[in-house]
Amino acid sequence: RQRGEDISILMDTQLSELEKIGYEFHHGHVQNSQKSNENRMRKRGQRFGPDRDDLRWNQRVEELRKFKEKHGHFSIPSNTEAYNSLLHWVRNNQNHYNMLEKGEKSSRLTSERISQLAAIGFDFNERRSKH
């Protein structure tokens, strides 16, 4: 069935509300199961809606931006419990960036994500904690 065919008004309303908050629906057959449709779309490289990994990524970028705003730098201290998780995330992304620089693949660090970090002034090569 195509979207709009044999679908109740409630379903159209629900779809419209989901589209308003960022979900994307690719016109075509309506699937019986939202989960199976989402899995098929991911296998084809299409996005069904906001990805949990993308949401977490954006939260971390914002956390890093706030750290810099507060401290004036990105040198996260390794001896502070409050920033251990952020420090681990930063180092992990620096490692993925270095992999890309060497021509190795990185499934996590896309050009879009590199641009996000560059936009806040992040230095991928800074490794030492200065503070």
Side-chain angles (χ1 to χ4, degrees):
R1 294 178 295 177
Q2 294 289 328
R3 181 173 180 229
E5 291 180 15
D6 299 328
I7 298 177
S8 71
I9 293 172
L10 180 63
M11 183 61 141
D12 282 339
T13 304
Q14 289 171 331
L15 290 174
S16 295
E17 290 300 313
L18 288 171
E19 287 170 343
K20 286 179 188 175
I21 61 170
Y23 280 85
E24 298 174 14
F25 295 91
H26 300 274
H27 297 289
H29 295 288
V30 175
Q31 304 297 320
N32 290 337
S33 165
Q34 179 178 339
K35 191 73 170 166
S36 66
N37 187 35
E38 183 177 347
N39 289 337
R40 274 193 220 78
M41 291 175 79
R42 281 209 173 105
K43 286 178 186 173
R44 292 191 309 241
Q46 297 172 321
R47 296 280 172 131
F48 184 74
D51 184 275
R52 184 176 28 177
D53 189 48
D54 289 339
L55 293 173
R56 184 68 182 139
W57 171 268
N58 290 331
Q59 289 172 341
R60 285 295 193 180
V61 171
E62 181 61 15
E63 187 179 349
L64 185 60
R65 186 195 65 74
K66 286 179 179 178
F67 179 91
K68 183 183 183 200
E69 186 177 281
K70 181 177 180 179
H71 300 284
H73 56 78
F74 290 111
S75 298
I76 301 167
S78 58
N79 60 352
T80 307
E81 185 80 23
Y83 296 116
N84 278 348
S85 180
L86 182 61
L87 177 62
H88 177 75
W89 182 82
V90 164
R91 286 184 177 165
N92 195 21
N93 284 298
Q94 287 172 325
N95 289 335
H96 280 274
Y97 182 80
N98 289 330
M99 288 170 56
L100 288 172
E101 289 286 296
K102 293 176 186 174
E104 300 172 24
K105 277 192 160 190
S106 170
S107 61
R108 294 193 55 199
L109 198 57
T110 63
S111 58
E112 180 181 291
R113 288 179 171 187
I114 290 170
S115 294
Q116 276 183 287
L117 290 171
I120 63 170
F122 182 72
D123 181 0
F124 287 93
N125 296 312
E126 185 177 319
R127 299 297 277 171
R128 283 192 8 246
S129 175
K130 296 176 186 174
H131 302 274

